[in-house]
Amino acid sequence: ALTIGRSVPRMSAAIARALAADPSQAAALPELAEGFDATMRRAGVTDPFLTRLMNLECFVISGCLADQTAAAAMAYLFAERSREDAVYDYPQGGAMALCEALKNAAERRGAKIHLKSPVARIKHVDGVASGVELTDGREVEAKRAVITGVSAWDTLKLLGGQLDNSSSGDSNLSTEVDALAAAAGAVP
């Protein structure tokens, strides 16, 4: 998730270049935000071994199975992995060691970590995250910040698809997708 998060600007630039080259691809943009399992279904992947392998790939990159891993993240992963100079590293001690180190560092600085607490939505006031509502109905108020470990697309879903854009008023995900396409010259 950290690698993908750091790469979102490059991913967005790649999408913009693809749209500039072929504006008809703008219709497929919503598919990038879907779970990778939908992409696999559309591609006709039915082999149980291949399905398990793709679930493993998704878990390695996002910590989630294909139904909860954005197709855009997997597309980016496969594109990056096919580069001649590609390196695919794993943290020493596995992904859990990295998570444990981040958790310990955050707690030493006063953060409270809520494990096994799925988030239903991120609460926000005037465009600023103010806490979260958990799937069991409990609410947790943030003292300083809400930090997500999910993709940008999943974060938008948790925000209710809303972005605060003070210069142009409220916007939603489709408006942001349209803006990206327009920046690429795909939408007049």
Side-chain angles (χ1 to χ4, degrees), residues 71-155:
M74 296 310 293
Y76 185 75
L77 167 80
F78 292 131
E80 285 292 298
R81 206 188 267 169
S82 67
R83 291 175 35 166
E84 196 169 306
D85 62 342
V87 176
Y88 200 61
D89 291 328
Y90 294 93
Q92 187 174 13
M96 199 60 200
L98 177 60
C99 293
E100 192 66 28
L102 290 170
K103 175 184 164 294
N104 292 341
E107 286 177 340
R108 280 194 306 273
R109 288 165 180 78
K112 184 167 182 184
I113 308 292
H114 298 269
L115 301 175
K116 298 182 181 178
S117 302
V119 173
R121 72 181 184 94
I122 298 173
K123 299 173 7 177
H124 49 95
V125 177
D126 297 327
V128 177
S130 60
V132 296
E133 179 183 325
L134 305 178
T135 56
D136 66 7
R138 290 182 295 148
E139 294 190 2
V140 179
E141 297 301 319
K143 291 182 182 172
R144 297 181 74 187
V146 173
I147 300 172
T148 73
V150 299
S151 71
W153 296 273
D154 290 325
T155 299

Side-chain angles (χ1 to χ4, degrees), residues 42-60:
R42 277 192 298 279
V45 175
T46 58
D47 179 74
F49 174 78
L50 189 54
T51 300
R52 286 192 305 272
L53 178 62
M54 290 299 100
N55 268 309
L56 174 62
E57 291 283 358
C58 289
F59 187 78
V60 166

